[in-house]
Amino acid sequence: MRNPDEWDRAYAAAGLAFDVDPHPELAKAVGDLPPGRAVEFGCGEGRPAIWLATRGWRVTAVDFSPVAVDRGRQVADRHGVEVDWQVADVRAYEPAGPIDLAVVLYLHIGSAEIATVLRRAAAALAPGGILFVLGWDRSNAVAGTGGPRPADLLYDAAEMTRAVAGLRVRRAEAVPQLGSADAADLVLTAYRPPA
């Protein structure tokens, strides 16, 4: 995992993006849900968080990088929405109170660390709450296609399913990576059964 200074340098070197259209897999999984309380873990510039806020969600967006969070604030202001921006170590972050939606997109920090984040996210879900995870699938390392290396940084369906024990998994599968002919993403959706 990069340290926060490395994330800051990476975000500072990139241009500010204003597109808040959701990833199609996120839109498919949560687009019809009634708004509630959501947390995006490892939000970067927080475009999914901002998209959720435009749909009436009360969103907390958490990231290691103050630069990324500041950029997210700028984009949210331009869209006229409020997001609770938090600079924190997402591996240790625990939401206050139950949440209705936990979102983890492309948070590639190593299998043990992502399992910790998923366990914390799952524990925070209210009855009926949804966990949505999307990122580079580990099959990319074998195929020599996209995503970070080493392979431990990529998502594995079996590992992620174990990390969210106690939730009911609706989907845990590799799908074609958006805009790529040969790379794959892993999509995991799970929910806490109603009480």
Side-chain angles (χ1 to χ4, degrees):
M1 183 198 86
R2 295 178 178 179
N3 66 45
D5 291 339
E6 289 176 299
W7 286 114
D8 284 346
R9 284 192 295 276
Y11 280 109
L16 180 60
F18 293 97
D19 179 16
V20 295
D21 290 340
H23 190 287
E25 292 290 347
L26 176 64
K28 182 168 51 172
V30 306
D32 292 332
L33 294 178
R37 186 161 178 254
V39 174
E40 184 182 1
F41 293 81
C43 66
E45 294 175 353
R47 290 186 294 275
I50 295 165
W51 174 73
L52 288 166
T54 66
R55 300 177 63 80
W57 288 82
R58 295 178 320 278
V59 186
T60 300
V62 184
D63 198 83
F64 299 99
S65 170
V67 171
V69 166
D70 184 58
R71 286 173 167 237
R73 281 190 186 105
Q74 293 175 44
V75 177
D77 287 348
R78 285 187 169 93
H79 285 274
V81 295
E82 288 193 25
V83 172
D84 176 21
W85 299 98
Q86 300 287 323
V87 176
D89 185 338
V90 297
R91 298 165 301 178
Y93 180 79
E94 294 188 40
I99 61 175
D100 303 297
L101 176 63
V103 176
V104 180
L105 273 75
Y106 298 100
L107 178 61
H108 293 281
I109 54 177
S111 58
E113 292 173 313
I114 195 66
T116 297
V117 171
L118 296 183
R119 282 192 294 273
R120 290 180 188 276
L125 290 175
I130 303 289
L131 170 65
F132 176 82
V133 182
L134 175 70
W136 295 95
D137 187 75
R138 194 165 294 162
S139 64
N140 294 323
V142 175
T145 56
R149 298 295 186 272
D152 181 60
L153 294 175
L154 302 173
Y155 290 177
D156 177 80
E159 288 176 2
M160 296 213 163
T161 299
R162 283 193 298 276
V164 299
L167 300 185
R168 293 201 181 144
V169 174
R170 287 187 177 149
R171 187 175 181 204
E173 64 180 336
V175 298
Q177 213 272 337
L178 193 63
S180 173
D182 55 1
D185 276 342
L186 176 78
V187 176
L188 174 94
T189 56
Y191 70 99
R192 180 166 302 288

